[in-house]
Every structure is written in structure tokens, then in C-alpha cells.
Amino acid sequence: MNTANPTAHAFDQAMHLQPLGDDRFSGHTSEAYANMVGPFGGATAAVLLNAVLQHPQRIGEPVSLTVNFAAALQPGPFEIEARPLRSNRSTQHWLLLQYQNSELVSSGTAFTAIRRPSWSEQELACPAVAPADSLPALDARGMLRWISQYDLRFVCGGFDPHSQQPLDNSLTRLWVRDEPPRPLDFLSLAAIGDCFFPRIFTRRQRFVPAGTVSLTHHFHVDSERLAQVGSAHLLGQAQANRGHNNYMDQSAHFWAADGELLLSSSQTVYFKE
Amino acid sequence: MNTANPTAHAFDQAMHLQPLGDDRFSGHTSEAYANMVGPFGGATAAVLLNAVLQHPQRIGEPVSLTVNFAAALQPGPFEIEARPLRSNRSTQHWLLLQYQNSELVSSGTAFTAIRRPSWSEQELACPAVAPADSLPALDARGMLRWISQYDLRFVCGGFDPHSQQPLDNSLTRLWVRDEPPRPLDFLSLAAIGDCFFPRIFTRRQRFVPAGTVSLTHHFHVDSERLAQVGSAHLLGQAQANRGHNNYMDQSAHFWAADGELLLSSSQTVYFKE
């Protein structure tokens, strides 16, 4: 853990972008966030969002983000185009395109806005679960590299491919934070929002070919509130609604430890089973 | 009702696109689907999807669709660019841009795929509710034009701005079909997926400035299954997870009357209250 120099965190290194002008940025895949094929999707979603955050014409903060994973990135450099499509005084719509060797590897859209105080209500209560410090952290040794960048503490719906005992459903609840700890911001939340293993793994308790094809985040709070959360664990919950003919959706939500909903997310995941 | 000539349906007229070549299509707003400002968002989402469906290079059928509403369309012609960003043998990623008078009015992405039989499971059960024919259809006289294009039968979470009695939550369940009836397809399902009034209306039981800014659909079935549903009512359910500082999310699901989940959807909605 290096709190004195937060840019030394592997996540910040993975997020690093060099502005090239004309809405273009160059970045480089991070070995620390390597997945089965290409980087962890959460890291890709986050680095696309970072191009928006780094853009000199940005207005406001992220409210929604959609990222589509079109092809596996190879280890190495990539380029992101983040183009403001339409802006007014307080809102902005963005197009996101990521290329590697001139081929499109991911696409997306984002919406940023200046939010103002309003009537406010949270309908989706945080589930009552055992606190993070009462649960063991997942031992990520021997697992894919990106998993060891997180401290994951499963409340239910863990994954043990040796059990050969399918679960009754795909519901997972877990506590999660960056490992080593890092203060929460839009980038780390965008990545954490994709931290669940494919729901088919959880339901079936075995590996099958699977991968997210489209991910959408709805952010509920601003950067000030995220900074207050700091490096504490978030409670995450994910469940499939339906898997059918190679595609399964997932609804996910993340709360701060005090019960405040920070992120609602959904995704479509390819699977072969 | 005109079942003999389905293209005479107002929805099909609203969906009409003229191919211009080079991934471009021209269309025209439909008075029948007029909303407060510009067209009903569901009609816009559907006509963007239609540009994908009409595209000569399309592979497979829609699996996911995101549409961002950047500016109100004026009554009149518009142009859509539907560009295949990356394709392989069985999947395809799309970029969608809609322009009016050369200004961007909406953007989006879509993912289409050839789906093959696989392990299949539905986790989100259809709520047990009174059948459609036991409930009265909403009397849409005096309401916005688009509402009268649907037969809406509220099970719970209706909207009565004269009641001045807020509800305890934003949950709505309703039966819905096109009015007059029209056989279900990807286009009508994409539009129906946006048929809920803003959750803030339901929760507060009054009008406030509100509008969808980003909408994401995850389709669970293919066109063959949608055709089997025909013109029967679908059961829709929508609820907000959280509204805070001008933006509220909504999770929505639609089932066929036999309980099969057809669509999972989420959106971010602007509101001022």
C-alpha cells in the first residue's frame, strides 16, 4: 500500500492516458489487470471513462456509462477517442471508441452532468449482511491476475469450481475494495462495478466460456461523496434475470457501508453451456 | 385495427426508414407518438434499432441496445447513421447516431448476434397479478398522443395527478400492448420497453420536469419467439432504485403472459423536484 503516492497504485497506472489532441488519448494495457483473454472488463470500462474525465471540454460528472466489448485487447498500447457529441450548459453526451492496431476493440457512450440538490430517495435498501471485517478475504493466489487487485469477501454466492455442486440461483453478495486500498472515485467504481464473476459460474459452480459484451452503469452520487467513502469496502450484489441461448443478463448494485446506493449496473454476458 | 395490412399501423409508419446508402437512413417523426417535447423516447429507441435491422450487412438479431437522448427532436425529418463497428461470424457491434438539421439528437450502441440453443434458465419470475382482461384499460383521452398508441392496464403504481397522494414507492406493474393490436417484434418491444411514466410521477403522483437521458435494453429472445407472443399483452414492471440530485434510475422487466421474461431494461431519468 502506498498512500503517500497514490499514482503508484496499479489501478492508477492502468488508468494512465496521454492526450493526443483532437479527442484522442493513448493508453497501455496493465498486466496487473489481466483477465483470461485481454484485460479485466472493469479496467477497460474505467479507462474509457477516464478519457471523458481527462477531456478539456468535459462538463459535469459521470451519470451513465455504457461500454461494449467488441474484441479482446492484446497486451500493449491502445488509443481512445472520446468525442463530446452534444453539450449544453449542464449536460453532455459522449461517444467512446477504443482502437488497437487501428481496429475497434470497444465502444461506448457516456452522459455527464452538473447535478444540483433535489428531492432525493433511495428505494433499494442495502441488504443486511455480516460486516466485511467478519468475513475472510478471497485467497486469489493462482487465480487470474485482476482478481488479486481486489479484496473480495463473499457473503453468499461464492465460486468454487471444485465443489461440482451448482447453487440454486446466481445471487452473489460480496464486500469489495481495491487491494491495496485506494480512495474511491468514478474510475475505481466503474471498474468495481464489473467485479462479479459471470453469473453462469456462480449458478453452475464451474468454468464455462463466458464474457461481458455490454455493460451499463448508472452512477448515483458525485465525486465528493465517493471521496468520503474512501478506501472502505463496498457491498455489491449481482444476480441474473435470465440466461437463454448464449446470453445472460446481470443486474448489480453497490452500496457504501452506511447503506447508501452508489451504483446501479446491468450487463449482457455471452456464455456457452 | 388493420391486421390485413400491418404496414398501415401508426407504429410501422413511425418506424419507416429510407436507406440513403453509406450506413445512412432518413426517417420522419410521427405525430401519433408525440410526447411532451419531441417524440416518445420508445419510438426513438425503436427507429434507431430499425436502422440496424434494415442494414444490409446486419448479422444476427438484437441482444442489447443503448440509446441516449441528447436533445428533443422537432417534428419533421431526421437522419440516422447505423455503422457496424466490428463484426465476426456470429456477432456485431453497432454505433447509432441520429441527426436533425445536422445536429446530433440521439446516440446509441447496439449488439446483434446469432444465438444458438444453450443451457437456459429464468431466475426472475413473473409476478402473480390479475389477468389483463380483468383490468380496465387506461383512458388516454386528453393525455399525450403517444399514450393512446398503447393499451395500458395498471395492476399497481398508476398515476393520478389529481390525487395529490404520493405513493409509498415507485413500483408500477401494468399490462401493455400496442393499440390497435400489432404482432410483437423487436421494434415494438424496444418501444414498449420505455412505456412507463417517469418513476418520479408515480412516487410523487404529480408532474415534474422529467425525461429519460439514457436507456439500455437486454433482449432475451429471438424474433421467432416474439412473433409467437403476437399481439397479446405483456406484463411490465418498473421501479426506481434511487433518485438523487436530478437523476433517478429505473429497472424494468417485461414478461409474456405465460411468464417468460422477454426484456430486462434500465434507464437514467432526469427530474427536477
Side-chain angles (χ1 to χ4, degrees):
Chain A
M1 178 174 175
N2 187 329
T3 50
N5 179 8
T7 59
H9 197 290
F11 186 74
D12 293 284
Q13 291 170 20
M15 292 300 105
H16 182 71
L17 290 175
Q18 183 74 34
L20 302 174
D22 291 335
D23 306 328
R24 288 160 52 244
F25 300 82
S26 68
H28 197 285
T29 58
S30 156
E31 265 190 57
Y33 288 86
N35 202 351
M36 190 90 68
V37 182
F40 164 52
T44 296
V47 78
L48 285 172
L49 185 61
N50 197 25
V52 173
L53 296 185
Q54 298 300 317
H55 198 289
Q57 288 159 39
R58 174 173 57 95
I59 292 166
E61 296 195 322
V63 177
S64 70
L65 171 71
T66 292
V67 175
N68 306 288
F69 303 92
L73 274 134
Q74 302 302 316
F78 56 77
E79 206 174 297
I80 296 173
E81 179 184 351
R83 196 196 321 161
L85 288 172
R86 180 128 186 182
S87 312
N88 66 24
R89 275 181 309 166
S90 58
T91 68
Q92 199 165 39
H93 286 268
W94 293 87
L95 171 64
L96 301 168
L97 300 169
Q98 183 182 30
Y99 295 92
Q100 197 172 43
N101 304 321
S102 304
E103 281 207 293
L104 182 112
V105 285
S106 75
S107 66
T109 57
F111 173 73
T112 54
I114 299 169
R115 304 172 78 143
R116 298 196 169 82
S118 76
W119 181 88
S120 199
E121 187 171 70
Q122 180 175 324
E123 290 198 43
L124 188 68
C126 184
V129 300
D133 61 11
S134 72
L135 296 165
L138 179 71
D139 182 351
R141 282 176 299 183
M143 295 189 178
L144 295 164
R145 265 307 286 287
W146 74 268
I147 301 172
S148 61
Q149 310 310 317
Y150 292 99
D151 181 291
L152 296 167
R153 297 167 186 239
F154 285 85
V155 176
C156 67
F159 176 50
D160 176 7
H162 305 299
S163 75
Q164 306 195 324
Q165 287 292 324
L167 300 185
D168 290 340
N169 58 52
S170 71
L171 175 67
T172 290
R173 288 175 176 153
L174 54 72
W175 291 100
V176 54
R177 63 160 171 76
D178 286 300
E179 173 58 36
R182 178 184 174 282
L184 192 67
D185 57 20
F186 276 108
L187 299 181
S188 59
L189 182 56
I192 284 173
D194 190 37
C195 78
F196 294 101
F197 302 153
R199 297 297 81 205
I200 185 86
F201 288 12
T202 306
R203 171 67 181 82
R204 303 287 283 166
Q205 291 293 310
R206 60 196 201 93
F207 288 105
V208 302
T212 301
V213 294
S214 184
L215 164 73
T216 293
H217 285 338
H218 302 298
F219 297 101
H220 294 297
V221 297
D222 61 14
S223 55
E224 198 176 330
R225 171 60 185 141
L226 295 180
Q228 287 165 2
V229 173
S231 59
H233 285 89
L234 306 182
L235 182 71
Q237 172 175 291
Q239 188 161 11
N241 298 297
R242 187 175 187 203
H244 181 63
N245 289 2
N246 296 147
Y247 293 93
M248 184 178 285
D249 72 336
Q250 171 189 287
S251 295
H253 300 278
F254 290 85
W255 296 264
D258 66 4
E260 182 174 5
L261 186 65
L262 306 177
L263 178 70
S264 299
S265 181
S266 69
Q267 53 179 269
T268 288
V269 181
Y270 167 80
F271 72 96
K272 191 172 174 187
E273 170 73 319
Chain B
M1 179 172 174
N2 188 327
T3 50
N5 179 7
T7 60
H9 197 289
F11 185 76
D12 292 285
Q13 291 170 22
M15 292 301 105
H16 182 72
L17 289 175
Q18 182 74 33
L20 303 173
D22 290 336
D23 305 329
R24 289 159 52 245
F25 300 82
S26 68
H28 197 286
T29 58
S30 155
E31 266 190 57
Y33 288 86
N35 201 351
M36 189 89 71
V37 182
F40 164 52
T44 296
V47 78
L48 285 172
L49 185 61
N50 198 24
V52 173
L53 296 186
Q54 298 300 317
H55 198 291
Q57 287 160 38
R58 174 172 57 93
I59 293 166
E61 295 195 321
V63 177
S64 70
L65 171 71
T66 292
V67 176
N68 305 288
F69 303 93
L73 275 136
Q74 303 302 316
F78 55 78
E79 207 172 297
I80 296 173
E81 179 184 350
R83 196 196 320 162
L85 289 173
R86 180 128 187 181
S87 312
N88 66 24
R89 275 182 308 167
S90 58
T91 68
Q92 199 166 37
H93 286 268
W94 294 86
L95 171 63
L96 301 168
L97 299 169
Q98 184 183 29
Y99 294 92
Q100 198 173 41
N101 304 319
S102 303
E103 282 207 294
L104 181 112
V105 287
S106 75
S107 65
T109 56
F111 172 73
T112 55
I114 298 168
R115 304 171 78 143
R116 298 197 168 83
S118 76
W119 181 90
S120 198
E121 186 171 71
Q122 180 175 324
E123 290 198 41
L124 189 68
C126 185
V129 300
D133 62 10
S134 72
L135 296 164
L138 179 71
D139 182 351
R141 282 176 299 184
M143 294 188 178
L144 295 164
R145 265 306 287 286
W146 75 268
I147 301 173
S148 61
Q149 310 309 318
Y150 292 99
D151 180 290
L152 296 167
R153 297 166 187 240
F154 285 86
V155 177
C156 67
F159 177 50
D160 177 7
H162 305 298
S163 76
Q164 306 197 324
Q165 286 292 326
L167 300 185
D168 291 339
N169 58 52
S170 71
L171 175 67
T172 291
R173 288 176 177 154
L174 55 71
W175 291 101
V176 54
R177 62 159 170 76
D178 287 298
E179 173 58 36
R182 177 185 175 281
L184 192 66
D185 57 19
F186 276 107
L187 298 180
S188 59
L189 182 57
I192 284 173
D194 190 38
C195 78
F196 294 101
F197 302 153
R199 298 297 81 207
I200 185 87
F201 289 13
T202 305
R203 171 67 181 80
R204 305 286 283 163
Q205 291 293 309
R206 61 196 200 91
F207 287 107
V208 302
T212 302
V213 295
S214 184
L215 164 73
T216 293
H217 286 338
H218 302 297
F219 298 100
H220 294 296
V221 298
D222 62 14
S223 55
E224 197 177 331
R225 169 62 184 139
L226 295 179
Q228 287 165 3
V229 173
S231 60
H233 285 89
L234 306 183
L235 182 70
Q237 172 174 292
Q239 186 160 12
N241 298 297
R242 187 175 187 203
H244 181 64
N245 289 1
N246 297 146
Y247 293 92
M248 185 179 283
D249 72 334
Q250 171 188 287
S251 294
H253 299 278
F254 290 85
W255 295 264
D258 65 4
E260 182 174 5
L261 186 65
L262 306 177
L263 178 70
S264 298
S265 180
S266 69
Q267 54 179 268
T268 288
V269 181
Y270 167 81
F271 73 96
K272 192 172 174 185
E273 169 73 318

